[in-house]
Structure formats: C-alpha cells, structure tokens
Amino acid sequence: MSSKPEQETQQNNGAVLPIVPGDCHSSQERGHLVEPSDFLGTDGDGVEVVVLESRANAKGVREEDALLENGSQSNESDDTSTDRGPEPASPLKETSFSIGLQVLFPFLLAGFGTVAAGMVLDVVQHWDVFKYVTEVFILVPALLGLKGNLEMTLASRLSTAANIGQMDTPKELWRMITGNMALIQVQATVVGFLASIAAVIFGWIPDGHFSIDHAVLLCASSVATAFIASLVLGMIMIGVIIGSRKMGINPDNVATPIAASLGDLITLALLSGISWGLYKELESKAYVNPLVCAFFIALLPIWVIIAKRNAATREVLYSGWEPVIIAMAISSVGGLILDRTVSDPNFAGMAVFTPVINGVGGNLVAVQASRISTYLHMSGMPGDSPETAPRKCPSPCSTFFSSDVNSRSARVLFLLVVPGHLVFLYTISSMQGGHTTLTLIFIVFYMTAALLQVLILLYIADWMVHWMWGRDLDPDNFSIPYLTALGDLIGTGLLALSFHILWLIGDRDSDVGD
C-alpha cells in the first residue's frame, strides 16, 4: 500500500482538490484534460491523476475570471487560491448607474465634438471648393465614418485586448500598438482612395459631368485627410485605453465615444483645409494634387510590412477589408443624400445637424457593440461557445427589457438620447448655428428621428454582433463599421425626411426653407 492517501487529485488553477473514484467522466464533461503523472503507484494499486484545467480561451483569459454580472456565474468556480498569477480584472461588474456614469462624460464630449463639426460644416459649405466641387459633400460622411470604420474598431479591438490581459506587459503593449497603428494606416489610405472614387461616380452619374482635375483633387484630399486623421486619432485611442485601465475604468465605455469626440471635428477640419488648399493650386500648380495622392499611396508597402509581421493584426490585414469597404459605400450613399439636400433652400440648416445626429447614433451603438463583443470574448472564441449562440431574430423585449448586462446597457444608452440631444441643440442655438429656429415642432421631429435612429441601431447591434460571433467572425473587427455606416445613412435619411415634412406643413417659425 502506498504511503500517500489512496485518492485521486485534481489541479484546478493551482488548487488541489480531491476526486472521488469514478468521477473521470464528469471531469471530462466539464472540459478537463486528464494527464496521469503516475498511472501505477509503488505497490501497483496506488493511482495519482493530475487533471489540468483547460478552460482558457485563445485570448488567454480564464472563463471563470470573466464574470460579467454580479453573481451570474458565481457557481462556475469556488477556487479562492492565492497562488494564481496576475489576471485582468473583471471589467463588466456594473450597475445601470455605473454604466451611465462612465458613459456620460465621454458621450457629452463626443456630442460637443459633433456639434463643433456641424458648426464647421455650416461655415465651409459656402467655400468655393464646396460650391464648385460639390462631390466633396459626398466625402463628408464617408470620411467622418472612418472613425467608425477604423478608430472605433481599433478602440474596440484594443479594449477587448486590454480587458482580457493582452496589454499587461510592455512587450505586449508595444506589439499591439505598432501592429494596429500600421494596420489603420493601410486601411485609411485604401478606404480614402476608394471613397474618392465613389464620390466621383456618385457625382458623375446624376449630372453626367466629369472633370479629371476635380477627380484628382478629390483623391488627394480624401487620402491625405484619412491618413493624417487616422494617425492622430489612433495615437489618442491608445493613450485613452492605457489610461482607462490604469484608472480602473472599463475602456469599452469611454474609448469609442472619445474616438468620436475629436474624430468628426479633426476629420472635417482636415478635409476642408486640405481640399481648399489643393483647390487653390489647381490653376497654377496642377501637379501638386497627383503628387500628394502618389506620396501617401507610396507609403502603403511600409505599413503593410509592419502589419504583416505582427500576429495580432496579420489576420485583420487579410480579412478585414470587407466591412470597411462596404461601410464606406453605405456612408457614401448618405453623403449623396447630403449632397442633394444641402444646397436645397427647403433643407437650409440641415448641414449643421447632420454630423450631430449621425455622430450621436454612431457613438452609442459603437459602445454597445464593443461591450457585447467583450462579453462574448470573455466566454470563449468566436463560434465555439454554446452559451453565446447567436440569436437569429432577437425580440425587442430581449434586446431592451431583459435582465442581462447587455440589455441593461442598451436601456442606459437609449435613455441618453433625449437629454444629450437637447443639450446639443441648445448649444447650436446659442451659437446661432444653421438657419433654423428651435421651435417645439422642430424639436419634436428632430427627437423622433434621433430616437428612431438609435432604437434601430441598438436592435441591429444585438442581432449583428451575435450573428457574426456565430459565423466565426470577430465582432471587434466587423460589426462597428457596418453599424456606424448604417447610423450615417439612417440618420441622414431621417433628418432629411424631417426637414421635408417640416417644409410641407409650413413650419415657417423654424425658418426652414428661408
């Protein structure tokens, strides 16, 4: 007889627990990998089996350490051993109040950024470059949408990496920074170039007029704006996420709104300034526009090489093009609507409100998509967790009125729409922006459009993120571009419809059409 107690042992994250004989099947059913260290004892009948826990997903986080609600998975593991290594703190143990408190400040900051962008657009729409090269208006939603295509996707990807412990060491942090910065420069250059082509096509089809000089101007302006804006915003995003983790704040709640707070303003200011400067050079130095375009495109191989060498971004470099390109096309349709309405006297004042309604809707749905994606990542890998099986057609009740943490955050985000927009409308009115007086009927129509936009987006996000997860796609890389682009299209369309109805019913007190 062996001197050791004649019983099996189980190693569970550093804790040794007894296993009664015959419990092998139940252990395997719980996902354990059994590796015997010594099948036979010294006297032939003592057996010691070491059972290793194998519940960590590919992101390197233990499932039981990713509790997303207080007590919701508390029976998953009772291990209280202090022998564990450092692990990322659970980021989503949140109440509705804590979610709202963390989201409120960046949401307001992002909203004021969109207000500033709207004020800028209200001014620059009268510049010569916007008057004589009207296709620039088509670029506005497409390039402003880059914050959803690239920066918000970057923020969501890095927030997930930070929450599951992939940015805890300086080496991991530097690897994530270099790879992701190179990746978004590749994507920004390509998407900027394609956006200019879409603007040329959408501008040429209705009018049948094509100018090679204007086409090159659009290409140079779009590529330069996308590259510089993505570089600046990407660096800001990295700083925000690192700072959030150090302060104990969930990056999912703050990163994407802050990306949008400066994104619209910086991008629109760059687009206006660069296009105006290049337009001035058309007459005397026509070669400047093609040189600018060629310079940024020539940098592409450098960024591609850096992104390919990084395992964290290599897959996205190959497979992440579909969402950003389709999202750019969707945003360009919204830009076509803006191009056709902004010069119509019946839609006077619409330019100042377009970035606001689109920005607010995109910011809120990006927060929700980022949170759901992190929730899913903490329970496994895309497509392999039965607990997070995609809902083919979620009901509005399950999206907005259930007790889970994602439904709770959807309610909080939806409730922010009315007070947020009231603050932004008052700010625009006090700064005498646009050509519209804020009457009661105008506010009612505007709020109806804003609420309907966010309601649709949050519902689509609930379905889309889970659907992509079930299709083995990472929602961090695929969902936000589609959602923010849909936000641009839905927001611009509903806003144009509201202005049209106001004109039809003769809301002359709001000066619409004057």
Side-chain angles (χ1 to χ4, degrees):
M1 198 69 165
S2 173
S3 60
K4 297 181 180 179
E6 196 168 298
Q7 63 179 15
E8 297 173 345
T9 58
Q10 173 185 350
Q11 181 176 343
N12 184 9
N13 292 331
V16 179
L17 303 175
I19 297 181
V20 297
D23 196 36
C24 182
H25 293 291
S26 64
S27 297
Q28 292 176 351
E29 290 172 357
R30 290 192 298 267
H32 295 107
L33 176 64
V34 179
E35 293 185 3
S37 61
D38 188 3
F39 287 99
L40 294 177
T42 56
D43 56 357
D45 54 1
V47 179
E48 182 178 348
V49 179
V50 178
V51 183
L52 299 179
E53 179 73 17
S54 180
R55 301 187 61 137
N57 59 24
K59 300 291 185 179
V61 63
R62 298 177 179 85
E63 182 176 351
E64 65 268 26
D65 293 326
L67 302 183
L68 304 184
E69 293 186 78
N70 291 330
S72 61
Q73 292 95 357
S74 60
N75 60 344
E76 195 69 30
S77 174
D78 294 325
D79 179 20
T80 58
S81 171
T82 59
D83 296 333
R84 297 184 182 184
E87 298 168 358
S90 174
L92 296 181
K93 291 182 178 180
E94 300 164 307
T95 64
S96 296
F97 178 77
S98 66
I99 294 172
L101 191 62
Q102 290 187 23
V103 172
L104 180 61
F105 175 74
F107 167 72
L108 292 176
L109 183 63
F112 286 124
T114 61
V115 169
M119 298 296 292
V120 170
L121 184 59
D122 191 45
V123 172
V124 301
Q125 66 174 323
H126 305 295
W127 289 8
D128 288 345
V129 64
F130 284 86
K131 286 183 178 179
Y132 301 113
V133 190
T134 58
E135 294 85 355
V136 178
F137 280 112
I138 302 177
L139 285 178
V140 170
L143 292 183
L144 296 189
L146 278 179
K147 73 179 186 301
N149 297 348
L150 304 182
E151 278 73 39
M152 286 185 175
T153 302
L154 171 68
S156 179
R157 191 161 56 238
L158 292 182
S159 294
T160 298
N163 280 327
I164 63 178
Q166 287 190 340
M167 297 174 62
D168 289 346
T169 66
K171 182 178 180 180
E172 291 175 331
L173 179 62
W174 178 249
R175 177 176 57 83
M176 294 294 294
I177 290 175
T178 55
N180 280 281
M181 287 300 294
L183 174 65
I184 65 170
Q185 295 314 309
V186 175
Q187 292 178 322
T189 304
V190 173
V191 173
F193 179 74
L194 294 177
S196 66
I197 295 177
V200 171
I201 294 175
F202 287 151
W204 169 68
I205 290 176
D207 299 333
H209 175 71
F210 176 79
S211 170
I212 187 64
D213 290 338
H214 289 179
V216 177
L217 169 66
L218 289 171
C219 178
S221 301
S222 181
V223 171
T225 300
F227 182 93
I228 298 173
S230 293
L231 179 64
V232 174
L233 292 173
M235 295 174 66
I236 294 175
M237 280 302 88
I238 292 170
V240 167
I241 291 171
I242 295 174
S244 298
R245 290 295 293 172
K246 290 184 176 180
M247 296 175 63
I249 298 175
N250 182 7
D252 285 313
N253 291 338
V254 299
T256 50
I258 291 179
S261 64
L262 298 176
D264 286 342
L265 180 59
I266 291 176
T267 304
L268 187 56
L270 285 171
L271 176 62
S272 304
I274 292 173
S275 60
W276 177 80
L278 294 176
Y279 181 76
K280 292 296 183 180
E281 300 294 333
L282 273 180
E283 295 182 1
S284 58
K285 300 177 182 178
Y287 60 87
V288 172
N289 287 323
L291 280 180
V292 170
C293 190
F295 170 76
F296 287 104
I297 293 178
L299 293 176
L300 267 177
I302 300 175
W303 310 126
V304 170
I305 291 172
I306 297 175
K308 283 180 64 176
R309 290 180 176 177
N310 194 306
T313 56
R314 187 183 302 119
E315 180 182 355
V316 183
L317 181 65
Y318 292 134
S319 63
W321 292 103
E322 178 183 341
V324 295
I325 292 175
I326 294 178
M328 179 273 300
I330 295 173
S331 295
S332 296
V333 176
L336 181 61
I337 297 174
L338 180 63
D339 182 35
R340 294 296 156 187
T341 56
V342 74
S343 57
D344 190 334
N346 297 326
F347 296 87
M350 181 174 165
V352 72
F353 297 106
T354 300
V356 178
I357 192 170
N358 291 349
V360 169
N363 298 344
L364 293 177
V365 75
V367 171
Q368 180 70 352
S370 181
R371 290 178 59 88
I372 298 175
S373 180
T374 297
Y375 182 96
L376 295 174
H377 273 100
M378 287 182 168
S379 63
M381 294 178 63
D384 69 354
S385 179
E387 295 87 359
T388 55
R391 285 172 276 175
K392 295 182 179 180
C393 187
S395 67
C397 289
S398 64
T399 300
F400 294 99
F401 301 109
S402 66
S403 59
D404 66 78
V405 67
N406 294 323
S407 179
R408 186 184 307 145
S409 62
R411 293 193 296 270
V412 171
L413 295 173
F414 184 74
L415 291 175
L416 288 175
V417 174
V418 171
H421 272 296
L422 286 176
V423 172
F424 305 144
L425 288 177
Y426 176 77
T427 303
I428 293 174
S429 176
S430 63
M431 298 177 66
Q432 299 180 348
H435 309 276
T436 302
T437 303
L438 297 185
T439 61
L440 178 61
I441 189 170
F442 173 81
I443 294 176
V444 168
F445 273 91
Y446 180 88
M447 287 299 176
T448 302
L451 286 169
L452 186 58
Q453 175 209 31
V454 174
L455 188 72
I456 294 172
L457 290 175
L458 291 175
Y459 179 78
I460 293 175
D462 187 31
W463 164 78
M464 181 178 290
V465 173
H466 286 90
W467 179 81
M468 289 181 172
W469 186 267
R471 292 288 299 272
D472 218 4
L473 300 174
D474 189 347
D476 280 327
N477 298 326
F478 289 88
S479 64
I480 292 181
Y482 290 121
L483 292 170
T484 53
L486 286 172
D488 291 342
L489 179 59
I490 295 172
T492 305
L494 290 175
L495 188 62
L497 180 62
S498 299
F499 270 78
H500 184 64
I501 295 175
L502 285 170
W503 175 75
L504 288 177
I505 64 178
D507 183 31
R508 296 305 178 185
D509 291 337
S510 63
D511 298 335
V512 176
D514 291 353

